[in-house]
Amino acid sequence: MFGLFKKKSEKEKLRSQYEKLLKEAHSLSTTNRKMSDQKAFEADEIMKKIEKLP
């Protein structure tokens, strides 16, 4: 209950964006391989940003 108004840290925001992109890449993998690869690349770039954060 006390965490209700807690703001997300930068790392948490990037993590949720990373997971969203991976889900999109997975769903596109059966229909559009090029778009799936693009989403996977974007997710990889976000993971690199996460790793740079302290």
Side-chain angles (χ1 to χ4, degrees), residues 2-39:
F2 293 107
L4 182 64
F5 298 109
K6 181 183 173 193
K7 292 184 178 182
K8 286 185 173 182
S9 70
E10 184 68 23
K11 202 173 220 181
E12 290 171 336
K13 289 178 187 177
L14 288 173
R15 174 66 75 178
S16 64
Q17 189 178 7
Y18 172 77
E19 290 175 4
K20 180 184 169 207
L21 284 171
L22 282 182
K23 285 180 185 177
E24 288 179 20
H26 180 68
S27 65
L28 286 170
S29 66
T30 58
T31 57
N32 189 341
R33 185 63 188 185
K34 187 175 181 180
M35 286 297 294
S36 174
D37 289 344
Q38 178 64 31
K39 295 292 182 181

